[in-house]
Amino acid sequence: MTTLLEARHVTKLFSSGLLDRHATVALEDFSLAIDSERPSITAVVGESGSGKTTLARLLLGLVVPTRGEALYQGQDLQRMSHTVWRAFRRDVQVIF
Ligand SMILES: Nc1ncnc2c1ncn2[C@@H]1O[C@H](COP(=O)(O)OP(=O)(O)O)[C@@H](O)[C@H]1O
Ligand SMILES: [Mg+2]
């Protein structure tokens, strides 16, 4: 399987400061892989505050994971070159 978009063991904590001991756990050890071989639709369902928007923003590269990685065609969104990042921004877009 060729992976188009992937969240690999992602944890995202939101804290209000360096010494905040009560960080919000928006995502915890979450993994999802979307195959690029055939077109598909993936729906993410959950109660309010369960992390759906954080996941979407993570897969768009707009949220930096605390642990784990978000990957596009196997490349970590936080480490890709400027050229690949530009191609990613063209290929992966939000439809409001
Ligand atoms: N930028 C942020 N700063 C602090 N906490 C946040 C931020 N974004 C989301 N959260 C918190 O992370 C959790 C998941 O939120 P969210 O991803 O918006 O869930 P959903 O979209 O499923 O309602 C919630 O507790 C929310 O308050
Ligand atoms: Mg939301």
Side-chain angles (χ1 to χ4, degrees):
M1 173 176 119
T2 322
T3 304
L4 187 66
L5 205 51
E6 183 177 359
R8 195 180 285 170
H9 297 291
V10 170
T11 292
K12 179 63 186 179
L13 307 177
F14 287 108
S15 52
S16 50
L18 276 179
L19 299 177
D20 183 6
R21 291 163 198 274
H22 304 285
T24 300
V25 182
L27 291 169
E28 187 172 16
D29 194 18
F30 182 88
S31 297
L32 167 77
I34 297 170
D35 167 1
S36 67
E37 263 149 38
R38 60 194 161 76
S40 64
I41 294 173
T42 301
V44 179
V45 180
E47 65 186 298
S48 178
S50 63
K52 305 178 298 292
T53 296
T54 301
L55 173 65
R57 297 187 70 224
L58 183 109
L59 292 174
L60 289 165
L62 303 176
V63 157
V64 179
T66 306
R67 286 190 286 277
E69 298 102 45
L71 306 109
Y72 177 61
Q73 296 179 335
Q75 298 200 61
D76 188 332
L77 297 189
Q78 298 304 319
R79 296 162 193 265
M80 58 178 46
S81 70
H82 187 64
T83 313
V84 179
W85 173 252
R86 280 176 56 187
F88 168 74
R89 296 290 292 169
R90 187 189 59 231
D91 293 348
V92 180
Q93 297 190 23
V94 178
I95 300 170
F96 290 102

